[in-house]
Amino acid sequence: MVSQRVDVLVLGATGYTGKLIVQYLESHPQRDQFSLGIAGRSLQKLQILSKELSLSSDVSIFAFDITSYAEVEGVVQTASVVINCIGPFFKWSTPIVRACAHNGVHYVDINGEPLWMKDIIQGYDFEASNTKAIIIPASGTDSVPSDLAVYLSARELAKKRPNASIGQSLTAVKMPDSGLSGGTLHTIITSIEEVPRHKWSDSMIPHMLSPVHNAVEVPFRMVWNLPHTNIYGGISPMGSVNEKVVYRTWGLLEARALSTAHRDRKSIRYGPKFQYDECAEAYSRITGLLWSVTFMTSLVAIALLPPVRWFLKMFGPQTGSGPKHYDGAIMTYTNVTSTDAPNPDHVQTTVTFKGGPYSMTAVFAGESALALLFDHDKLTNLAKEGGVLTPMSALGDTLVERLLKSGRVSYVTKPLYPKDTRKTA
């Protein structure tokens, strides 16, 4: 049994994204108010990381065997909040969630694996609600920005039309030019090769993680146009993950609104006919189509051709490595959400993130963990009941405030009108 106690524990700290999260937390303005621990499989690598990052002498180091549940539980029990970066998550991280749910330890991770998320919802949501453990998967760039953009639009519409339901919501994602980390590539390939084939059919269901199913299906597209704008898009590489998290947020809020035992008039509700879709921003319809064709061709080649996967394993980025950071990287998520009405109201929310997808993951996961640690009284009623939740269903306005205060996130929300087709910068 480990005797040390820490407020925030980063599991998988020596990986590419884990290191970024440790750096972010170590330099956080509230650093003198919480104790920090780093954990992984190799004590030597953890000690090297501590020296490399010049971590404070009070940062605790934990080495543990990920294949031993007793050791996993022992490490988890040292923490108030766990940030998990150990992937592929379907392969390694179920025991970590199990230990958090069983011991009432709050948890966030950076996974983008909806099939695994379904497993932990089915396996540990009930136990987490009993112990009041708040479990928030997908707290990185998968899928905080998408969840946030919809939430901000819905909140604005609720101010204008308190009783209105949302109809369509579409987000266009603009990413800086950057590559994948070795961990991300390894997860993609390992998922294709090792996840049982019978599970993959679930990945085609947008609301597979939602406690409420939406009968309104969003048709498959290759090209998008945000309503009442000149913003076009093609297939979003992260869209199939993000949509499932957004739909789980919708389903959790909808289920609570429909429950007489938990009815909360102050909670945001998207409405029964909510539809979400996402695209990668493109310069025009043609470039959007070309991108979609290129992406689908590449995805099929990776999925069906073992030589392609072999080549990527040999010559692609290796585990622990990732894209170089550069100043001025910007991510932009532009969302248009409309009420479900004959003459609908439309809101456009543009969220700007100062950083690339991996550096922003450090911000999202770090602030989510600190919200759980410091701001429990400000969390949503759903969060206070525990369970496997989503970033916005659990953290809501508290996460919005923290992200704005970080100086790395800003947003603008404005009404849209049918003839307003001006390009948004």
Side-chain angles (χ1 to χ4, degrees), residues 328-332 351-356 359-360 363 407-410:
I330 296 290
M331 303 190 308
T332 304
V351 192
T352 303
F353 304 93
K354 296 179 180 178
S359 64
M360 285 308 305
V363 179
R408 302 282 294 275
V409 179
S410 61

Side-chain angles (χ1 to χ4, degrees), residues 160-414:
K160 187 176 181 181
R161 295 282 187 269
N163 297 318
S165 294
I166 293 175
Q168 295 183 338
S169 183
L170 174 61
T171 300
V173 178
K174 186 176 182 180
M175 284 285 181
D177 294 331
S178 65
L180 297 176
S181 73
T184 300
L185 180 61
H186 178 62
T187 295
I188 293 170
I189 293 175
T190 305
S191 297
I192 291 171
E193 293 181 339
E194 297 186 20
V195 171
R197 286 289 176 260
H198 71 270
K199 287 191 172 185
W200 282 104
S201 60
D202 285 344
S203 66
M204 304 302 293
I205 305 171
H207 45 69
M208 62 173 282
L209 304 180
S210 173
V212 178
H213 285 189
N214 192 336
V216 182
E217 297 291 340
V218 177
F220 174 78
R221 293 179 181 143
M222 298 283 277
V223 180
W224 287 258
N225 174 214
L226 261 67
H228 315 303
T229 74
N230 289 331
I231 299 176
Y232 300 96
I235 292 175
S236 169
M238 300 184 298
S240 64
V241 176
N242 295 336
E243 68 176 4
K244 295 171 179 61
V245 174
V246 171
Y247 270 115
R248 179 158 177 79
T249 296
W250 162 76
L252 289 167
L253 296 175
E254 191 69 8
R256 185 175 184 85
L258 294 173
S259 170
T260 55
H262 297 99
R263 188 165 293 167
D264 184 358
R265 293 182 179 180
K266 294 182 180 180
S267 296
I268 291 177
R269 178 187 180 187
Y270 295 176
K273 295 184 179 180
F274 175 74
Q275 300 176 58
Y276 180 72
D277 208 355
E278 186 169 305
C279 63
E281 186 170 333
Y283 292 110
S284 66
R285 293 182 188 274
I286 294 175
T287 55
L289 178 60
L290 290 174
W291 164 252
S292 293
V293 171
T294 301
F295 174 77
M296 289 298 295
T297 302
S298 301
L299 188 63
V300 169
I302 294 171
L304 299 183
L305 301 177
V308 174
R309 296 196 296 274
W310 175 87
F311 180 86
L312 291 173
K313 289 177 187 177
M314 293 297 295
F315 300 105
Q318 300 302 302
T319 301
S321 68
K324 293 182 179 180
H325 301 287
Y326 62 92
D327 294 334
I330 296 290
M331 303 190 308
T332 304
Y333 282 61
T334 304
N335 172 268
V336 174
T337 296
S338 307
T339 57
D340 177 40
N343 296 304
D345 293 296
H346 311 278
V347 164
Q348 176 178 306
T349 299
T350 303
V351 192
T352 303
F353 304 93
K354 296 179 180 178
Y358 293 99
S359 64
M360 285 308 305
T361 285
V363 179
F364 301 141
E367 294 299 343
S368 295
L370 294 178
L372 293 173
L373 181 66
F374 290 121
D375 305 323
H376 190 273
D377 290 342
K378 299 179 182 178
L379 302 183
T380 67
N381 289 330
L382 273 169
K384 293 172 184 177
E385 294 167 5
V388 182
L389 305 173
T390 61
M392 299 317 299
S393 68
L395 306 178
D397 291 344
T398 303
L399 182 57
V400 175
E401 292 169 8
R402 279 193 160 272
L403 292 177
L404 294 177
K405 193 173 182 180
S406 75
R408 302 282 294 275
V409 179
S410 61
Y411 75 93
V412 175
T413 300
K414 69 174 186 178

